[in-house]
Amino acid sequence: MRHPFSHSPLLAALLAVGILSPFGAVQAQDLGGMFKRVARQAKQEVQRKVEDKVVDTATKPVDEALNDRKPGNRNTPVAVPVQKGNAVVAIRAAAIPDDSPAAREQAIARLRTAPPRHVCDDDAKMGRVFGTSCASREFPAPPILAAPQKVWEIQPGWWGVWSPFLVGNLVLTGSCNNDGNEGISALDAGTGKTVWRIASICREGHRRGSTGAVGFHELPSGEVLLVYPRNDGGPTDHYVIDVKAGRIVRTLTPAKRGPMRGVGDVFTVVTQSTPDATSTMTALGPSLDKILWRNDGFMLAMTNDLDPHYKPTFSAPAAAGGILFVTARGKRQPEPATRQLHAIDMRTGATLWRHDAQPVTERNPKLAYRSDDGLPMVAGGKAIIRVQGLLGEVGIGRDPNGEGLRAFDPRSGAVQWTTQAVPGQAIANYIAAGDMLVVDVESAGNRELWGYRLGDGRLAWRRPVTQGTRLLASSGGAFYVSERVPASDGKSVKDFRLQGLDGATGTLLWSTILPGHNLDIDERWSIQDVSGGNSQGPSWRIGRDGAIYGVTLKGAYKLQ
């Protein structure tokens, strides 16, 4: 598992050129130039002939549908089929977004005057690494409607800074890998000034001089649980911090130890027993001393991690409405088993339903591998996963043929819709943005963002982007992407182009350049990354005030 600030070629380059402030003058990108580039890429896309054929003949082949648009017309719809359940039901037009000044102002006005959005059924105060326990990368905050600028930045001498955690008016972060100011620091969200600091945690467990992957969780009491592994071989510490007083008030001893995640209003711990050939998920209450339930309906981890089909037994979970969603290797599956989506009652631990209709992706006379359900999210009142192999089986060792997204009713497991796969297209990432699901897709070296309606799974718009574009997060119906670009000073370290877009239409709202020194603005957001749901999380968050709070290799900052 890669720590976001671990040593790398990028870090070596940073050291070579010297450590500079991660922010300089914020500048806007020329929207006219961007639109010309997008239009040119769109024209190239529609002119490119897709060689593969769609297996499903219930509707017009997708390759023909994608080429129905007349080249050069950015507003001409693109016809793309969708499925309801397992059947193709309709052809839906999808337009290239309009980036004109008028369209941009219209989108901004609509987002500015829209009532506050209800983001996910998540009343708990634990495990909000990605905004909520729904793992949809959608933060309960107003949209960012203009290029954010630096409000404050601090560099107290840290090296390798913990992912920030927002609680009340405080930003919790810090490091033990520094000569001074070590420990956990609480920063005032408005000014960046240190409110309090706890240095003692670095003097225990041989932590001094190391970074470590800490986990923060806000407890129902308003206190914060800090989970911090030791470097001396001892058990992981679970400190409870009074954030108002700035001190550790007690240390918890879990009734069950193992990899732990805070999700909903429980903590889950996963363990395995080789003699019993069983993996178990155990739920603990906020005090960690009481076992609420156990679910032992899972297989052991795969023994050969060099196998290309290897995945961890459990994915990162998502939770909403009292139901925990996790993909895992269930005991009821025949070998070779891939992970299937499980819905678990968070009060009792009982499995409510499983996703059994996984398409076969690879087959030979002796083996048949089924689609791995990936990491789940909850958005628009639906549980959503990625599905592979929708266009038929391939031989063992080949890439799956056809990827799509599938939405379920959270309580019954009934399939609500499945997007139709496009030949040669792979899904890299997806996030929720208001009433839309924004999907990052790749095909033949080209990259696009597709906007699906969460209500019915229909495609509303598709936007060509550069290969280096990364889909990040959203708030208030707007979503954000980043791209590495050549540094303005001509040195080897690249800067970031950060952009905001309208979820409903895909229209570009704003664009700005953030100097890339010490900055890690694009890491750890992908739902396809199996490490993305860990306790550390990405290097920045969106606060309820709509500001971005983040950390660099040496400090912390606020953008608004």
Side-chain angles (χ1 to χ4, degrees):
M1 186 177 293
R2 175 181 176 270
H3 189 279
F5 300 115
S6 59
H7 292 282
S8 64
L10 173 59
L11 181 55
L14 285 169
L15 293 171
V17 300
I19 301 301
L20 302 177
S21 169
F23 301 105
V26 179
Q27 52 186 314
Q29 184 191 31
D30 176 59
L31 295 178
M34 164 161 281
F35 177 71
K36 291 177 182 178
R37 183 181 65 182
V38 171
R40 181 171 63 253
Q41 291 174 328
K43 183 175 180 180
Q44 292 171 348
E45 157 66 16
V46 299
Q47 289 176 332
R48 185 175 68 248
K49 181 175 178 60
V50 180
E51 295 180 356
D52 296 302
K53 290 186 177 181
V54 179
V55 175
D56 196 328
T57 58
T59 188
K60 191 173 184 178
V62 181
D63 56 345
E64 294 180 20
L66 291 178
N67 284 308
D68 277 349
R69 184 176 67 240
K70 296 179 181 178
N73 185 350
R74 59 182 168 84
N75 289 319
T76 304
V78 181
V80 178
V82 298
Q83 293 179 324
K84 187 172 184 179
N86 294 317
V88 176
V89 295
I91 296 288
R92 183 70 181 179
I96 297 295
D98 182 0
D99 284 346
S100 67
R104 186 169 68 254
E105 291 304 318
Q106 183 178 22
I108 290 174
R110 172 172 42 79
L111 290 167
R112 180 178 288 121
T113 58
R117 294 180 178 272
H118 174 71
V119 178
C120 183
D121 182 12
D122 175 20
D123 295 326
K125 294 184 176 181
M126 296 189 296
R128 288 176 167 168
V129 172
F130 296 111
T132 68
S133 291
C134 291
S136 62
R137 279 66 174 169
E138 185 176 21
F139 285 81
I144 302 174
L145 299 179
Q149 301 189 36
K150 183 178 68 175
V151 177
W152 54 257
E153 178 188 359
I154 63 165
Q155 291 192 356
W158 300 328
W159 181 257
V161 188
W162 300 325
S163 182
F165 187 79
L166 309 180
V167 53
N169 193 44
L170 299 176
V171 181
L172 305 187
T173 186
S175 174
C176 286
N177 190 22
N178 42 294
D179 296 328
N181 296 313
E182 74 273 11
I184 177 175
S185 291
L187 310 178
D188 184 283
T191 65
K193 294 182 179 179
T194 300
V195 178
W196 50 258
R197 182 168 58 87
I198 302 174
S200 59
I201 57 174
C202 296
R203 305 183 191 123
E204 302 174 0
H206 293 176
R207 295 189 182 110
R208 176 165 282 172
S210 65
T211 53
V214 306
F216 294 105
H217 306 274
E218 185 179 359
L219 300 175
S221 62
E223 299 165 314
V224 167
L225 175 66
L226 171 64
V227 182
Y228 198 177
R230 300 171 70 95
N231 292 336
D232 60 0
T236 295
D237 286 311
H238 298 76
Y239 302 114
V240 177
I241 300 173
D242 181 334
V243 292
K244 293 182 180 179
R247 61 188 180 90
I248 296 173
V249 292
R250 60 188 179 278
T251 299
L252 304 181
T253 301
K256 191 73 172 180
R257 288 188 178 270
M260 187 177 76
R261 299 179 188 271
V263 59
D265 55 0
V266 303
F267 288 96
T268 62
V269 178
V270 295
T271 56
Q272 68 175 16
S273 171
T274 302
D276 298 333
T278 296
S279 290
T280 301
M281 176 178 287
T282 301
L284 305 178
S287 62
L288 303 186
D289 61 347
K290 181 183 296 186
I291 293 178
L292 304 180
W293 49 258
R294 293 184 179 90
N295 188 320
D296 60 359
F298 307 101
M299 293 184 178
L300 292 174
M302 292 179 65
T303 57
N304 182 9
D305 59 5
L306 298 179
D307 187 326
H309 300 93
Y310 175 86
K311 297 288 190 302
T313 301
F314 297 91
S315 74
I323 301 176
L324 184 146
F325 300 93
V326 63
T327 66
R329 287 162 35 91
K331 281 186 174 180
R332 291 177 53 178
Q333 296 177 264
E335 291 282 9
T338 54
R339 297 179 303 181
Q340 62 179 190
L341 180 64
H342 293 68
I344 299 173
D345 188 315
M346 293 181 65
R347 295 171 302 170
T348 66
T351 298
L352 302 176
W353 55 266
R354 302 174 181 84
H355 174 223
D356 295 319
Q358 297 166 287
V360 173
T361 56
E362 304 169 54
R363 184 191 294 274
N364 66 17
K366 297 182 179 180
L367 291 176
Y369 287 97
R370 293 185 176 272
S371 172
D372 178 85
D373 284 352
L375 275 72
M377 74 160 55
V378 181
K382 300 172 176 63
I384 300 171
I385 59 167
R386 177 208 58 198
V387 184
Q388 299 174 309
L390 291 173
L391 299 181
E393 305 165 6
V394 297
I396 298 292
R398 294 180 57 193
D399 291 336
N401 185 18
E403 295 190 359
L405 297 173
R406 180 165 290 172
F408 303 86
D409 178 271
R411 298 211 164 268
S412 69
V415 175
Q416 302 289 291
W417 47 257
T418 301
T419 62
Q420 173 65 32
V422 175
Q425 185 184 88
I427 296 173
N429 193 13
Y430 46 98
I431 66 171
D435 298 325
M436 305 293 294
L437 190 66
V438 181
V439 184
D440 180 355
V441 299
E442 294 180 315
S443 178
N446 295 295
R447 204 175 195 104
E448 291 191 352
L449 301 179
W450 286 27
Y452 290 94
R453 293 187 175 91
L454 278 166
D456 56 16
R458 295 179 181 272
L459 185 65
W461 54 263
R462 56 192 295 242
R463 182 184 187 93
V465 294
T466 64
Q467 184 62 31
T469 298
R470 294 294 179 265
L471 185 59
L472 304 175
S474 74
S475 64
F479 68 96
Y480 317 106
V481 302
S482 71
E483 177 189 8
R484 282 283 193 174
V485 295
S488 58
D489 59 9
K491 296 182 179 179
S492 59
V493 177
K494 294 182 179 179
D495 293 337
F496 287 97
R497 177 180 290 118
L498 183 64
Q499 297 176 322
L501 300 98
D502 176 30
T505 64
T507 294
L508 180 68
L509 304 176
W510 52 264
S511 181
T512 190
I513 300 294
L514 302 178
H517 297 291
N518 274 339
L519 201 58
D520 209 9
I521 199 75
D522 61 348
E523 286 293 329
R524 307 180 78 87
W525 286 105
S526 178
I527 197 169
Q528 300 299 345
D529 178 4
V530 296
S531 67
N534 70 74
S535 58
Q536 183 76 3
S539 61
W540 56 275
R541 306 281 195 278
I542 301 176
R544 291 188 178 273
D545 57 355
I548 292 175
Y549 296 90
V551 296
T552 68
L553 283 172
K554 299 192 71 176
Y557 63 87
K558 175 181 180 179
L559 299 177
Q560 193 167 32

